[in-house]
Amino acid sequence: MSARPWIVGLTGGIGSGKSAASDRFGLCGAAVVDTDQIARQLTAAGGAALPAIREHFGEALIGADGALDRDAMRARVFDDPAERQRLEAILHPMIRAEADRQCAAADAPYVVLVVPLLIESGNYRQRCDRILVVDCDEAVQVARVMSRSGLARAQVEAIMAAQIPRAERLAAADDVIDNSGDLEHLHRQVDALHARYCDAAAR
Ligand SMILES: CC(C)(COP(=O)(O)OP(=O)(O)OC[C@H]1O[C@@H](n2cnc3c(N)ncnc32)[C@H](O)[C@@H]1O)[C@@H](O)C(=O)NCCC(=O)NCCS
Ligand SMILES: Nc1ncnc2c1ncn2[C@@H]1O[C@H](COP(=O)(O)OP(=O)(O)OP(=O)(O)O)[C@@H](O)[C@H]1O
């Protein structure tokens, strides 16, 4: 265990394949810290972020099961930047604290820190030894998200509009995974990067 692990920041637009890539890094033996998963834990029934969300957004955003109503919140924040900032102001400091805790507790050659807004927020960049972008055509992103979640095209496009443009994300990358092919193509790229990252982390 190390208090200052070697960290790869993994990012990409919605549906680009961050989870598919980080699952493979996990299988290879990296520790995976996923800020989307942390956000879900914070907003599950009994989650630490719910009191502040209830206070700022009202009871209507909490479902009958006591968890955040994700459909209602998605509709609210991706149509309204000010509302999105209010939600982020509640969640991002809590996500960051838990991500730091998990990184420090990691027991692996290195950590893959999955952050959808890695480039946008600037909060995590200085913690990362390397920035890895998972990339594919925007049309492929939209199609994959629609078929995974049943969201309408306009909803996916509204989320993409809240994210940095593809070219700017790619310009910030040290490494890029091209996820426009099949999963085997993705896995081969992850396996090659894993070998490089193990070497770099051991130096
Ligand atoms: C609005 C919420 C409830 C919608 O939930 P939903 O289940 O539809 O999405 P999920 O959490 O699985 O996120 C899926 C993807 O949406 C995109 N996304 C999520 N939050 C944001 C955001 N604030 N800005 C831009 N894109 C975002 C990312 O690509 C993410 O990978 C949820 O996304 C949320 O709580 N967002 C705020 C927290 C946040 O900023 N998370 C990003 C990780 S730091
Ligand atoms: N190379 C691929 N070939 C086919 N399907 C893929 C490929 N990569 C990912 N997918 C599928 O596309 C969808 C989006 O992938 P994934 O969930 O990994 O993306 P993500 O970037 O984590 O998404 P989000 O931004 O919503 O968290 C999933 O249903 C996944 O199974």
Side-chain angles (χ1 to χ4, degrees):
M1 193 191 292
S2 154
R4 178 63 179 93
W6 202 80
I7 297 180
V8 179
L10 186 158
T11 193
I14 184 164
S16 56
K18 297 180 298 296
S19 299
S22 61
D23 286 353
R24 183 71 180 187
F25 276 111
L27 273 179
C28 288
V32 176
V33 176
D34 185 330
T35 56
D36 272 341
Q37 278 178 22
I38 293 171
R40 282 174 177 270
Q41 285 156 7
L42 289 167
T43 53
L50 285 184
I53 289 176
R54 190 178 265 114
E55 184 187 330
H56 287 272
F57 290 93
E59 201 59 39
L61 273 291
I62 310 294
D65 60 355
L68 173 66
D69 181 337
R70 309 186 74 80
D71 291 340
M73 186 61 94
R74 192 188 311 114
R76 180 104 161 229
V77 299
F78 290 115
D79 269 349
D80 184 337
E83 292 283 73
R84 194 169 68 249
Q85 277 161 23
R86 286 170 75 194
L87 179 65
E88 291 175 352
I90 294 168
L91 283 176
H92 285 185
M94 299 175 101
I95 295 170
R96 172 65 200 246
E98 176 59 16
D100 283 351
R101 193 195 65 73
Q102 291 186 17
C103 285
D107 185 12
Y110 67 97
V111 175
V112 173
L113 175 59
V114 185
V115 188
L117 305 178
L118 182 72
I119 316 297
E120 287 88 333
S121 78
N123 254 345
Y124 293 86
R125 279 176 80 164
Q126 69 204 46
R127 275 293 274 122
C128 296
D129 296 280
R130 199 96 193 143
I131 291 179
L132 170 60
V133 169
V134 183
D135 177 69
C136 62
D137 268 2
E138 286 165 338
V140 175
Q141 282 176 251
V142 174
R144 285 181 181 160
V145 175
M146 287 174 69
S147 84
R148 178 193 62 191
S149 60
L151 289 186
R153 175 177 300 276
Q155 289 178 290
V156 184
E157 287 174 350
I159 298 172
M160 286 171 75
Q163 303 184 342
I164 200 171
R166 182 184 180 196
E168 284 178 47
R169 187 184 295 111
L170 285 170
D174 296 306
D175 302 308
V176 176
I177 288 177
D178 166 24
N179 191 27
S180 51
D182 60 15
L183 284 172
E184 205 186 309
H185 182 236
L186 172 72
H187 292 167
R188 276 201 303 273
Q189 295 173 80
V190 170
D191 294 355
L193 283 168
H194 174 69
R196 278 177 45 200
Y197 293 156
C198 283
D199 282 352
R203 261 186 234 133

